[in-house]
Amino acid sequence: MIKPSLSLITALSTILSVAHSQTTANTNGEPSNIQQQHPTHLTLDQLNLVLDSETATEFGTFSSQELSDTSTWNEANRYEWSKGLAAEQSPLNPQKYPYLICHTGENMSGWQRRLAITTAITNVTASPAATEEGEEGEEVYLHTLYNEDDYLCVYGQLMASVAISLIDDVFLVQPVMASLKMIDGAVEGMKEEHLKALGDASPEGYFPRVDMVLCPGVALMEEEEKEQEEIQSYFEYLQQLDKDPSSNAAIGDEGENLDGAEDITEAITNLLLSENLTNNSAVLPLSQQFYMTSQAYIDYLNNSTNDTDGDNNEEQSERAKMWGDVLDEYQTSCDETYKTRLTWKIYRSTQPERSASEMQVVYNNTGQTDTDASCALVLLLGISANPDVCSVDVRRGVEPSNRIASFMVESEIQNQYPFRARGINGTGETVAVSDTGVDSNNCYFYDPENPQPVGFKFDASARKIDQYVPFVDTGDYVFGHGTHVAGTIAGKRWDGEGAADGIAPGATLAVADIGNGNGDLLPPNDKTLLSTGRPNAQIHSASWGSEFNFYTSRARNFDQFMFENDEFLIIVAAGNSGSGDGAYDVPNTVGDPATAKNVIAVGAHNSWGDSSAIANLGPSYIADFSSRGPTADGRMKPDIVAVGKSVLSAGADPNVVGECDPSRIPGPNDKGEGLLSLQGTSMATPVVSGTAALVRQYFRDGYYPTGRKNINDSYSNPSGALIKAVLMNGAQKLQGVDNGANGVTDSTPYDNAQGFGRLSLQDSVYLVGET
């Protein structure tokens, strides 16, 4: 590797000085507005509206002045502009950097603003000769981050000079520095996940994972790989490759094939190694990649301290001290960790105009040392410093968050099932469910023709379980969470009517087993998980999530999957953190992936009549435990609520074949042979999922718009957005929150306790003579 005669830090300082002072003449011979403003950036106030990142923590506590006036933020942006210019001027490998480009043109739609950005970049990147001949510049990939009435912001990877040339009265350009790449909470999340992975209760094979969204256009899928993706079933594709379905690492895991991304992983790893810490290295040391630990920041603080006027007197922030401390601790202690204990995976984009490629690194902290905590944190810095990475997030561990439910959904009159009586029972629908697994020998799933339906091959002839993908294992534990959830969706006794037939007893299931025998959940990558049952399954039910209230990479991936598959709908439990430890009505407790925008996030309300526990006010009241919104970025959640108390469903016993309804049906929160009563938003979610299957069948069978079955009115493949809209539009008002001894809290429609209200099929679709 060639080493420059001038240290990179000195070179960087030189470029910084030149960039700060350079001016060029416009046609009138006067300095242009662009150069007078250069280097420019968004204010912290503007960024807080656009993106939830670690930037607010890094820079928001420096001064009592308005955030937009924070001097340290201005200096940090000067530094980032200079890094981009230095990377572009590299004689060996000119490098693009990520920028946030905002268009503020008035009286324009988001599409028009995006087109204006694309056109401006294309015009700048076209060569003079190509421009004269009418040819366009290089292909431009942009991904929208923010789209509101006032302006549009997109991510793009550009040469710094191109980014600078865009700046004018309409265009705002912001360098995407390390703190902007880190999703808000990533630093604390890494600390928590590291400690969790070391805990005695941690599931086997549980390690901290960092999700990376690559910048638009980076590491795309090759054309021959796209052809393989077009095979009807993603799992059939894997089967053709002879991959082991019981291997979590094998299913849908492109991580073993890093073709086209080795340079990214190599660059990140090299940046972390101690051999590249010296100023004479051709790689800018990590401490100098990050402004808060750079020599430029130290010099700025020294100048601030010597400011006799007191106008610019700032002290080092706590976060800056933390980064300095962990860098000092790690510098010579983590090489072996970075060389041998990081596993890289890549998931390439097939549609670069819509989505970016993603990577994940798994940090194996088995055999940890005293410095591992710092090594894990510095890993975040190393990833964030790479110019091909646009977003970094720490993946949080997730936890698992019927006859009575059926009539409450269909009629609210005991033992009356008008939709089921008309044959609307989910027939022809497959619902995917990801959970701890299913006891396929329970009578509600048992198939005498195929008693052990395990494997990723889809079997449309199965009685109940069309597909069983063993991401973790091949069954459920005794009275397991997954069996109960699956039974609520589509359970049906194989030998007749059961005491706990599901909401859509005619539907079938595609099971993603992501839980072990202890109930711990270890989901695979998001695309693989959501591909379970596809293309047959158009609904995915997820009764699990984290307690993290932000819009995470997982939430974004769920939204992206729905965006790319118009007919698909994901239904997610909001969580059970609305009360506890003496507190109630706790806001901001809906956790990811229920924080996603396109999914239905489900809260819980009380049950009915004899199924109600003591002191239950009834189904017109929200359950106290049901998690509350809003999301961290202010959106209403949950979207809808359904019965989530004392829900009776299938009870797993893997040691027994054919366990079924006992002579004494279990009461609220009780259990018996083959049956189980539980409460939680985990129980409410499959109620909504089963109901969504009924609505899909309603449209497919041609009940709309007359309320009578008419094959000529059949709508063969209704969109997920339509199903969501129908369910939410028909939701009914709830009276309040039942907080037990703490009384009732008022609640109104569209608030952060009930969202659109209580699920009601009879108020959602028309059935002649019934609704």
Side-chain angles (χ1 to χ4, degrees), residues 619-689:
S620 293
Y621 291 85
I622 302 156
D624 62 320
F625 56 75
S626 184
S627 285
R628 314 293 205 276
T631 60
D633 56 359
R635 288 176 289 114
M636 182 201 77
K637 289 288 177 176
D639 298 305
I640 201 169
V641 293
V643 57
K645 272 194 173 181
S646 308
V647 178
L648 186 67
S649 187
D653 189 346
N655 301 314
V656 177
V657 175
E659 71 273 22
C660 209
D661 301 344
S663 57
R664 184 187 69 83
I665 302 301
N669 305 323
D670 197 4
K671 56 190 175 185
E673 182 181 354
L675 289 180
L676 176 65
S677 174
L678 290 175
Q679 68 177 26
T681 58
S682 284
M683 285 62 254
T685 299
V687 172
V688 178
S689 300

Side-chain angles (χ1 to χ4, degrees), residues 439-451:
D439 178 8
S440 58
N441 284 324
N442 182 284
C443 70
Y444 287 93
F445 311 102
Y446 183 69
D447 186 348
E449 300 297 324
N450 185 19

Side-chain angles (χ1 to χ4, degrees), residues 129-326:
T131 302
E132 288 179 7
E133 296 177 10
E135 297 180 11
E136 295 183 346
E138 62 186 53
E139 190 163 9
V140 178
Y141 293 113
L142 303 171
H143 293 157
T144 301
L145 176 66
Y146 180 86
N147 184 14
E148 292 291 344
D149 292 339
D150 47 357
Y151 55 95
L152 170 85
C153 294
V154 298
Y155 275 126
Q157 194 186 37
L158 307 170
M159 292 296 184
S161 61
V162 174
I164 292 171
S165 70
L166 296 176
I167 300 168
D168 61 17
D169 293 337
V170 174
F171 283 91
L172 300 174
V173 183
Q174 170 64 50
V176 182
M177 62 185 68
S179 63
L180 268 176
K181 295 180 183 183
M182 295 184 201
I183 299 297
D184 197 4
V187 174
E188 292 302 316
M190 179 57 95
K191 294 177 183 178
E192 293 167 4
E193 290 300 296
H194 177 72
L195 292 174
K196 181 177 179 180
L198 298 178
D200 293 336
S202 175
E204 183 178 356
Y206 183 87
F207 301 113
R209 297 167 187 259
V210 179
D211 290 334
M212 294 159 274
V213 179
L214 301 184
C215 293
V218 174
L220 302 178
M221 183 172 284
E222 300 296 333
E223 288 300 320
E224 57 269 21
E225 293 179 294
K226 291 182 183 179
E227 293 175 3
Q228 292 173 329
E229 283 279 313
E230 293 171 358
I231 297 174
Q232 182 182 28
S233 168
Y234 192 68
F235 294 101
E236 289 178 9
Y237 163 51
L238 298 175
Q239 192 175 31
Q240 287 185 9
L241 298 181
D242 194 29
K243 290 191 174 184
D244 179 5
S246 64
S247 169
N248 199 358
I251 298 179
D253 192 341
E254 301 171 41
E256 301 305 316
N257 176 16
L258 290 170
D259 291 345
E262 300 98 327
D263 54 339
I264 300 174
T265 60
E266 181 180 355
I268 294 172
T269 303
N270 285 340
L271 187 60
L272 294 167
L273 298 179
S274 61
E275 63 194 57
N276 294 319
L277 293 173
T278 64
N279 294 345
N280 291 324
S281 169
V283 178
L284 189 68
L286 183 55
S287 62
Q288 304 306 309
Q289 296 273 358
F290 189 47
Y291 178 69
M292 306 300 289
T293 56
S294 69
Q295 184 62 46
Y297 180 50
I298 295 173
D299 293 343
Y300 169 73
L301 288 176
N302 289 336
N303 292 335
S304 171
T305 302
N306 296 328
D307 181 11
T308 57
D309 294 333
D311 295 332
N312 188 31
N313 194 358
E314 297 187 14
E315 296 181 357
Q316 188 178 28
S317 72
E318 290 300 317
R319 180 58 69 83
K321 292 176 183 176
M322 182 207 76
W323 286 127
D325 289 343
V326 296

Side-chain angles (χ1 to χ4, degrees), residues 520-570:
D520 302 311
L521 297 183
L522 299 167
N525 81 76
D526 303 318
K527 180 181 178 181
T528 301
L529 176 70
L530 297 175
S531 295
T532 301
R534 300 285 294 150
N536 302 77
Q538 310 294 15
I539 300 165
H540 191 108
S541 187
S543 288
W544 49 267
S546 75
E547 295 184 353
F548 197 57
N549 186 239
F550 287 85
Y551 188 71
T552 63
S553 59
R554 176 164 42 215
R556 181 189 58 243
N557 290 344
F558 276 39
D559 280 341
Q560 186 69 34
F561 197 91
M562 284 188 61
F563 177 73
E564 294 175 357
N565 297 276
D566 186 60
E567 72 287 350
F568 197 63
L569 177 61
I570 306 171

